[in-house]
Structures are given as structure tokens and as C-alpha cells.
Amino acid sequence: AGNKELEPLKYSKLATAASVSRRKVEIGIQGTISHLSHCLHKGKNIALVLRDVGVLFIEGKEVQMKFFCNFLERLSGKENWEKAVSKVPRLLDMVVSEEVPLASLTFSGHVITFPK
């Protein structure tokens, strides 16, 4: 929406950061997007894990982002995060543990997890 411009993905930067070839990054991203698109088309429940950030859950028409606690602590500072939670306990609904099986956090109990 609006006048936002999309920036092309910088495969070379990602490849350098991950210490792999540019081609491997391209194949990995394109394969993941293709599989994700296929699963969405088939109506599958999905958990897209964003390493060190959190999990994007897609179930039917319901989309929910849950963040790892350590990510939120790094983002805002541990003390600020603890103050925020004490004032607004509902913030904990946005948090997911890296240890909990993702399927247990879904309505259906079934989920395809990306990446494998």
C-alpha cells in the first residue's frame, strides 16, 4: 500500500553472512518460498520459524506472530521488557519458548514447520 518501494533481496550479502555460495542461498530461498506457497494453496497450517526472532503461525485465515523472549529482551533491554510485561501482562501472549513443540501452539495440533 502507498508509495513503498520493494528492495531486491541481496543474495550475495546473505551468502557471505552464512558462509555459503550465492547459488545455495538462491536455491534455498526459492525452494522455501515455493513450498510455502504450495502449502498455503493446499490450506495447510504453517509455522515459519524466523531464527532468533520468533514464529509466524498461519492457520486457515488466522495469522499470528509470536516472538522468542530473548529476542524481545535484546530488542528492548531485559529491564524494559520486564517492566512492560508487569504493566501489560497480555504481552506474554506474544511470546513463545524456543523449547515448546510448535504444533502444541496451534489450534489443530498439526503444522508444517519452515525451515526444516
Side-chain angles (χ1 to χ4, degrees):
N3 295 325
K4 296 179 184 177
E5 287 188 37
L6 294 178
E7 244 184 76
L9 195 55
K10 294 178 174 67
Y11 292 109
S12 296
K13 265 188 165 177
L14 290 170
T16 301
S19 299
V20 296
S21 71
R22 183 182 195 281
R23 184 71 182 138
K24 190 169 189 173
V25 169
E26 284 181 33
I27 290 169
I29 290 173
Q30 290 169 359
T32 299
I33 290 171
S34 175
H35 190 56
L36 180 62
S37 175
H38 174 77
C39 290
L40 289 171
H41 181 73
K42 295 287 185 182
K44 306 256 184 200
N45 296 328
I46 296 166
L48 180 60
V49 179
L50 304 171
R51 187 174 56 142
D52 299 329
V53 175
V55 183
L56 178 67
F57 291 98
I58 304 171
E59 291 189 88
K61 294 183 181 187
E62 192 80 23
V63 178
Q64 183 179 29
M65 183 70 197
K66 291 196 175 237
F67 299 94
F68 297 134
C69 190
N70 58 3
F71 168 75
L72 294 172
E73 287 176 355
R74 281 193 321 270
L75 194 64
S76 61
K78 188 171 184 162
E79 287 181 19
N80 289 337
W81 170 242
E82 288 171 354
K83 284 180 192 175
V85 168
S86 69
K87 291 179 182 176
V88 186
R90 280 191 50 205
L91 288 174
L92 290 175
D93 294 341
M94 298 174 19
V95 177
V96 62
S97 167
E98 295 180 62
E99 311 300 319
V100 174
L102 297 177
S104 70
L105 302 172
T106 65
F107 298 120
S108 66
H110 302 291
V111 69
I112 294 173
T113 303
F114 288 85
K116 289 188 175 187

